[in-house]
């Protein structure tokens, strides 16, 4: 039996838990009273995970452009159009033809972040023999196991438990005064459970409400407890209650100390047509709270946010317009909220510390059903956001001519994604990966290039952008009558191209209009310009570049 197989078969939960506020507490964890003090992490990086609960339809999120005919034939009643005002958005025209993909038209925020070099797309993520049950598949993603495993702990909990030995007895501490993990909601999921079933996270809807709830429950604790099994259980509950009070006060404190970036607005509603229950954006408030906590100084390492509604068996789209409806609203919520979150972090000077990831328990079937929806499927793409992300696409579009039992084939195991991020972003060591039970997914053959050597340099980021937005050297240069200006844009944008003197005064407006993706060229009569040096400057969205040219006689 190899090391990993042995570790996987160790019994992880040894006794029946008792319940306190929805959290299972295992009395056997009291067995070792002399835990080591918490180990201070050697970096301040964090992960924000966004769970897309219900099973996200990856094919309408990322349309395989080169296979559009097959795509449309499989789902004619819900397919995103390839023409018109609400056609899909070409993600990256510099990709190979077989990898070309179209973003849903309501994901403009993701497109903007991609063009800034802040998005990595991982295609076809899943696991062997994917389970079609929402709850079972969700737990598989949380526990970091195979389809037939049954762990009582989650990969996040195992990682945090190893990173901070001595939890919970040694916490909160001076070096780690905050919860190791923070889950937005009313309960802590399997993801944060340690090997003995005791979570390394707390669940919070709002720090003020959490504080008020904790301080409104219970009375004076007993002066002493019996030296019995029941006494041990009671003492453990009292200790956890005490720590919950400490965490509540601390979270309230950092939340009140923090702020969000002025001028950043988190969108609250979907601006187009969708069922009433899908209009409000439930993700904005969660990400806004995380940004404020980080600004206030919280040291929590992993956050888990959640947005539901992706179980779109029926009415996934509006019957009269497949670009609108429930799924469109959900994709808008993700795209716009994450864009606001990144802008918020940037304004707060925190962007370099945060990596954000989306995941869903499974995707949907390639073929639509007769109810304007899609049924449970298998693999789906994951999106990873951040200033330090290795921007681009990992993998290729799913092959719609090569399905497996009418489903998409997986290209990558979900543990490759999580493991690669833990090692290259969080700096997890080999022992960390072994304790987390993801060591087989970060070998030279299995690890994914999501973070380049743990750091993306400014030059690398600029190279990424310049390959997708280019302002060529004008010709001839020097010019005496006609000058030709050429450029390439990777996004449908409002473009302004101006000629300025060396003092920055605009001499001539050359272009001022919306333009499509692709190469553009414009000729300008400079025969009336005085001899001397000039600047030509282009703006397209957030991209701005200026170069110099000379007029002679």
């Amino acid at each position: 039996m190899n090391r990993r197989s042995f570790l996987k078969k160790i019994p992880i939960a040894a006794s029946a838990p008792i319940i306190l506020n929805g959290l299972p507490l295992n009395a056997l964890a009291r067995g070792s009273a002399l835990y080591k003090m918490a180990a201070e992490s050697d970096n301040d990086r964090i992960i924000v995970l966004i769970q897309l609960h219900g099973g996200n339809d990856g094919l309408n999120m990322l349309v395989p452009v080169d296979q559009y005919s097959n795509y449309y034939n499989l789902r004619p009643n819900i397919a995103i159009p390839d023409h018109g005002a609400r056609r899909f958005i070409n993600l990256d025209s510099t990709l190979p033809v077989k990898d070309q993909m179209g973003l849903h038209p309501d994901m403009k925020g993701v497109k903007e972040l991609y063009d800034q070099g802040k998005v990595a797309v991982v295609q076809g993520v899943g696991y062997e023999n994917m389970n079609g049950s929402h709850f079972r598949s969700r737990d598989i993603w949380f526990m970091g196991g195979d389809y037939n495993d049954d762990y009582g702990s989650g990969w996040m909990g195992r990682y945090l438990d190893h990173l901070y030995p001595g939890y919970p007895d040694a916490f909160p501490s001076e070096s780690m005064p905050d919860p190791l993990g923070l889950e937005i909601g009313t309960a802590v999921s399997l993801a944060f459970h340690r090997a003995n079933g005791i979570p390394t996270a707390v669940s919070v809807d709002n720090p003020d409400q959490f504080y008020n709830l904790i301080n409104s429950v219970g009375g004076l604790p007993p002066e002493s407890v019996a030296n019995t099994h029941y006494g041990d259980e009671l003492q453990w509950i009292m200790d956890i209650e005490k720590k919950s009070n400490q965490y509540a006060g601390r979270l309230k404190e950092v939340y009140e100390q923090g702020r969000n970036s002025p001028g950043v607005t988190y969108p609250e509603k979907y601006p187009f047509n969708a069922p009433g229950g899908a209009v409000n954006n439930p993700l904005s408030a969660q990400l806004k709270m995380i940004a404020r906590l980080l600004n206030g100084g919280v040291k929590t390492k992993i956050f888990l946010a959640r947005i539901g509604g992706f179980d779109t068996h029926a009415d996934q789209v509006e019957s009269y317009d497949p670009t609108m409806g429930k799924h469109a609203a959900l994709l808008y919520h993700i795209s716009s909220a994450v864009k606001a979150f990144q802008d918020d972090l940037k304004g707060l000077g925190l962007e370099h510390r945060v990596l954000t990831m989306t995941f869903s328990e499974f995707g949907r079937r390639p073929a639509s059903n007769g109810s304007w929806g899609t049924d449970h499927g298998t693999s789906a793409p994951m999106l990873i956001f951040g200033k330090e992300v290795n921007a681009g696409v990992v993998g290729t579009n799913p092959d719609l001519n090569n399905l497996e039992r009418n489903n998409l084939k997986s290209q990558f195991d979900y543990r490759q994604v999580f493991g690669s991020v833990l090692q290259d972003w969080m700096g997890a060591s080999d022992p960390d990966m072994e304790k987390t039970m993801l060591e087989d997914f970060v070998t030279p053959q299995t690890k994914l290039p999501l973070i380049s050597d743990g750091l993306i340099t400014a030059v690398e980021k600029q190279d990424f952008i310049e390959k997708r937005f280019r302002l060529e050297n004008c010709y001839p240069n020097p010019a005496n009558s006609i000058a030709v200006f050429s450029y390439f844009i990777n996004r449908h944008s409002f473009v302004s191209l101006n000629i300025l003197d060396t003092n920055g005064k605009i001499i001539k407006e050359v272009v001022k209009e919306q333009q499509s993706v692709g190469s553009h060229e414009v000729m300008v009569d400079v025969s009336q310009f005085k001899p001397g040096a000039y600047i030509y400057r282009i703006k397209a969205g957030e991209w701005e570049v200026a170069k110099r040219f000379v007029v002679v006689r």
Side-chain angles (χ1 to χ4, degrees), residues 267-280:
E268 297 180 355
K269 294 183 181 296
Y270 179 58
F272 303 112
N273 296 329
V279 170
N280 293 328

Side-chain angles (χ1 to χ4, degrees), residues 82-191:
D82 62 350
H83 61 279
R86 283 182 58 80
R87 70 184 300 273
F88 58 70
I89 304 167
N90 192 300
L91 179 68
D92 187 346
S93 59
T94 68
L95 292 171
V97 172
K98 66 183 179 62
D99 299 333
Q100 291 285 321
M101 63 189 73
L103 278 171
H104 189 283
D106 287 326
M107 298 188 73
K108 294 179 180 177
V110 170
K111 171 61 173 171
E112 290 183 40
L113 291 174
Y114 183 90
D115 287 338
Q116 296 172 29
K118 297 176 182 178
V119 181
V121 177
V122 187
Q123 288 277 31
V125 184
Y127 56 88
E128 183 184 5
N129 295 327
M130 289 191 72
N131 192 290
S133 162
H134 292 291
F135 304 105
R136 173 60 182 164
S137 191
R138 177 202 62 190
D139 285 350
I140 290 170
W141 281 74
F142 281 160
M143 69 185 180
D146 291 322
Y147 71 95
N148 56 351
D149 285 323
D150 191 17
Y151 301 162
S153 64
W155 67 267
M156 301 177 213
R158 295 193 296 271
Y159 169 70
L160 292 171
D161 189 34
H162 181 67
L163 189 64
Y164 294 95
Y167 183 87
D169 284 16
F171 293 86
S173 68
E174 183 176 350
S175 61
M176 177 47 91
D178 302 303
L180 308 185
L182 195 61
E183 184 164 350
I184 314 301
T186 56
V188 176
S189 64
L190 175 63

Side-chain angles (χ1 to χ4, degrees), residues 56-58 122-126 130 360 362-364 378-382 408:
N56 177 46
D57 180 12
V122 187
Q123 288 277 31
V125 184
M130 289 191 72
S360 192
F362 44 67
R364 317 297 293 186
T378 51
S379 66
M382 292 177 66
L408 304 176

Side-chain angles (χ1 to χ4, degrees), residues 297-360:
V298 76
K299 295 185 176 182
T300 297
K301 299 298 287 183
I302 301 179
F303 295 82
L304 177 58
R306 182 176 291 107
I307 176 171
F310 288 89
D311 195 20
T312 52
H313 289 282
D315 300 325
Q316 176 173 321
V317 304
E318 297 286 357
S319 60
Y320 56 86
D321 188 341
T323 71
M324 299 181 189
K326 179 192 288 187
H327 191 242
L330 292 170
L331 295 180
Y332 172 84
H333 294 332
I334 296 165
S335 178
S336 60
V338 171
K339 176 63 166 60
F341 184 54
Q342 287 296 139
D343 291 345
D344 199 356
L345 294 173
K346 182 179 180 180
L348 297 172
L350 299 170
E351 192 179 23
H352 64 288
R353 292 182 49 202
V354 183
L355 195 77
T356 303
M357 310 169 64
T358 67
F359 71 98
S360 192

